[in-house]
Amino acid sequence: MRTLGIIFSVVGLMALNSCQQETNVPEMLENTETRNEIMQTIANDQNYMDEFMENMQNNNNAMQMMRGNKHMMDMMHGERMSMMKDSTMRMDMMHSIMKDGKMMNHMMQMMHNEGMMSNDCMQSSMKMMDDKGMNMGGMHN
């Protein structure tokens, strides 16, 4: 009877230890079905998708890949254009950009590169923003 108790105790401890498995993410993602299920879960959940997009925007490699993908850029351009038709959304977007020094700097750089803003105008705007204490993200020209 005592031996039986010891055997059950050992089996019970082994069962409990097996519940604490480490998750090997790259191994999980090798399985096509698991990977597709993870992507579908993220795509179908607004909170997961917001978090995913934030992570992509903070990842230089992901941003380079998106910029190089014509379909992605066309889709983003279409989304932006439809958003810009709504005046309230336009104002909200403009206020958000104006509060974010890095975004504002990026927008000014794009305008300068497209010939919509002279170098002098860009430099004076950046100085003004810097004087107001905006964090330009170390992007001074």
Side-chain angles (χ1 to χ4, degrees):
M1 195 64 151
R2 185 172 178 201
T3 307
L4 192 58
I6 291 173
I7 291 173
F8 279 130
S9 296
V10 169
V11 170
L13 286 174
M14 288 175 57
L16 287 176
N17 278 339
S18 69
C19 292
Q20 297 176 350
Q21 294 177 350
E22 291 291 321
T23 303
N24 185 342
V25 175
E27 189 176 299
M28 284 175 56
L29 292 173
E30 283 179 15
N31 181 319
T32 305
E33 288 178 17
T34 303
R35 185 175 56 247
N36 287 336
E37 190 174 330
I38 290 169
M39 287 190 277
Q40 286 300 316
T41 301
I42 291 170
N44 293 323
D45 184 289
Q46 185 66 45
N47 292 328
Y48 289 155
M49 195 63 181
D50 289 344
E51 190 175 338
F52 177 74
M53 293 303 288
E54 185 176 323
N55 277 291
M56 284 186 64
Q57 290 172 354
N58 293 328
N59 183 301
N60 289 334
N61 187 43
M63 292 304 290
Q64 288 297 330
M65 289 177 73
M66 283 198 297
R67 285 185 190 111
N69 184 322
K70 183 177 175 2
H71 177 72
M72 179 67 75
M73 293 310 291
D74 289 347
M75 188 173 72
M76 298 284 278
H77 182 72
E79 174 101 5
R80 271 192 239 128
M81 289 302 110
S82 66
M83 285 172 41
M84 293 302 279
K85 290 178 183 171
D86 178 2
S87 62
T88 305
M89 190 163 297
R90 245 190 342 257
M91 291 303 288
D92 287 346
M93 183 187 290
M94 195 168 71
H95 286 291
S96 295
I97 290 171
M98 290 177 73
K99 290 178 188 173
D100 185 342
K102 290 179 193 175
M103 181 72 79
M104 191 69 180
N105 183 291
H106 180 70
M107 192 171 83
M108 288 191 307
Q109 292 284 345
M110 284 176 35
M111 290 172 70
H112 174 67
N113 292 342
E114 295 292 322
M116 292 186 266
M117 179 182 273
S118 71
N119 193 46
D120 290 340
C121 180
M122 185 176 73
Q123 294 299 325
S124 76
S125 297
M126 289 174 67
K127 182 179 179 340
M128 178 190 67
M129 289 168 57
D130 198 34
D131 290 346
K132 288 187 175 200
M134 280 185 98
N135 177 8
M136 301 296 287
M139 298 182 186
H140 300 281
N141 274 351

